[in-house]
Amino acid sequence: MTDQRPRKSYGCELGRRVRYDRTASEPPSIAAATALARFRDEDVTAASTRLYDYVDPEALDALFEDTNTGMPRSVEEVTFRVDDAAVTVYPEEIVVSAE
């Protein structure tokens, strides 16, 4: 007898989407990791995916920080793929959607 149970999809059902509002004091990399864990219905501290395997967290955070002269950066969004999900980072929110 073969196992007929559906394979785990990690939250990537057709059209599935998670929106995560980040606070001003929360780095974008932490918010992205939290949003991705929620998308996959996992605890962020025990998530199966390590964000740094897909994007440099320090570089991601730097894109949304003020410049060395104190001027705000003009980055409106950054999108990257993590397996079969698209992670879009905006200044105030993260959106994770199935690809």
Side-chain angles (χ1 to χ4, degrees), residues 4-83:
Q4 296 296 321
R5 289 179 291 163
R7 293 174 33 185
K8 187 168 183 168
S9 68
Y10 293 108
C12 299
E13 296 88 16
L14 183 62
R16 177 153 160 89
R17 195 177 160 157
V18 169
R19 183 175 157 254
Y20 177 82
D21 295 321
R22 85 175 177 95
T23 64
S25 63
E26 184 177 31
S29 61
I30 300 297
T34 302
L36 188 59
R38 287 186 181 177
F39 179 76
R40 294 190 166 164
D41 295 323
E42 298 177 333
D43 182 317
V44 71
T45 61
S48 62
T49 302
R50 297 175 301 202
L51 188 64
Y52 60 82
D53 287 340
Y54 298 89
V55 66
D56 181 339
E58 291 178 9
L60 180 62
D61 293 344
L63 288 172
F64 292 92
E65 291 176 354
D66 289 344
T67 65
N68 290 337
T69 61
M71 299 296 295
R73 295 191 192 273
S74 60
V75 175
E76 294 181 17
E77 71 180 75
V78 173
T79 301
F80 56 94
R81 290 184 181 183
V82 176
D83 297 327

